[in-house]
Amino acid sequence: MKKNTEKTNVMRLLDQKKIPYETYCYADTGVISGTEVADVLGQDPQQVFKTLVTVGNSNNNYVFLIPVHQELDLKKAAKAVGEKSISMIKSKELLPLTGYIHGGCSPVGMKKQFKTTIDASAADFDTIIFSAGRIGYQVQLSLDALRQIVRFELADLTVSQP
């Protein structure tokens, strides 16, 4: 996969903070799903994360990062952030709330910093890969590096596989 030369806002923010990262571009491939992205990048789908934005009973918003081939367990996610229940926000609410569109949402550089929780499986890898804030672009960095720009917790967030 070719290295990206075009900078996204996420990359610019990482550069400003002097946070090391790798970039990937799959913009010309036509892939859509997270598992297709992992395939095209030649990466383990357990190491490639999708960014999901939710709303709780309290009307607070939360961000969750989970492996692309997994599903968010809404009960586990609610427990992780201290809510009775949470639900996914509607696609049309994503851009005004975060500044990102569906398929290009990143935990870095949202309009507002929301409470962010990453699936505990991320700790199994030296680095994780997630959206660089635009469809077709991904960044790869360590959790320590990510922690320099996004406050987050780790928790078990995914639906248990049979």
Side-chain angles (χ1 to χ4, degrees):
M1 189 54 25
K2 69 180 180 178
K3 293 290 181 186
N4 177 32
T5 53
E6 188 177 337
K7 294 277 184 183
T8 67
N9 286 339
V10 169
M11 293 172 208
R12 284 190 271 287
L13 285 168
L14 293 170
D15 288 343
Q16 282 174 6
K17 300 273 188 189
K18 296 187 177 14
I19 297 170
Y21 64 93
E22 294 287 322
T23 61
Y24 297 95
C25 177
Y26 62 94
D28 301 330
T29 64
V31 300
I32 297 170
S33 80
T35 50
E36 289 174 329
V37 170
D39 285 346
V40 160
L41 298 180
Q43 299 292 332
D44 182 343
Q46 294 180 79
Q47 190 177 1
V48 180
F49 284 68
K50 57 187 170 185
T51 306
L52 304 172
V53 183
T54 64
V55 61
N57 260 17
S58 64
N59 277 333
N60 287 326
N61 291 101
Y62 302 96
V63 175
F64 296 96
L65 271 76
I66 64 169
V68 293
H69 69 295
Q70 300 273 355
E71 284 182 55
L72 182 65
D73 183 317
L74 294 174
K75 284 189 169 82
K76 288 179 183 178
K79 183 179 177 189
V81 296
E83 287 276 1
K84 277 188 179 169
S85 67
I86 61 166
S87 57
M88 299 300 298
I89 67 165
K90 293 176 177 53
S91 258
K92 67 180 181 189
E93 297 170 8
L94 191 62
L95 181 60
L97 183 68
T98 66
Y100 292 122
I101 61 169
H102 182 77
C105 191
S106 178
V108 175
M110 287 190 180
K111 286 183 176 181
K112 181 180 170 202
Q113 179 69 58
F114 299 107
K115 183 168 185 166
T116 301
T117 308
I118 301 175
D119 189 70
S121 66
D124 296 341
F125 298 97
D126 292 337
T127 58
I128 62 169
I129 301 166
F130 56 87
S131 176
R134 191 180 308 155
I135 294 172
Y137 298 88
Q138 299 275 304
V139 291
Q140 179 174 359
L141 63 158
S142 70
L143 289 180
D144 286 343
L146 181 58
R147 199 175 294 280
Q148 294 175 46
I149 199 164
V150 175
R151 287 188 314 273
F152 64 85
E153 301 293 324
L154 295 175
D156 175 19
L157 297 173
T158 57
V159 173
S160 299
Q161 301 297 316

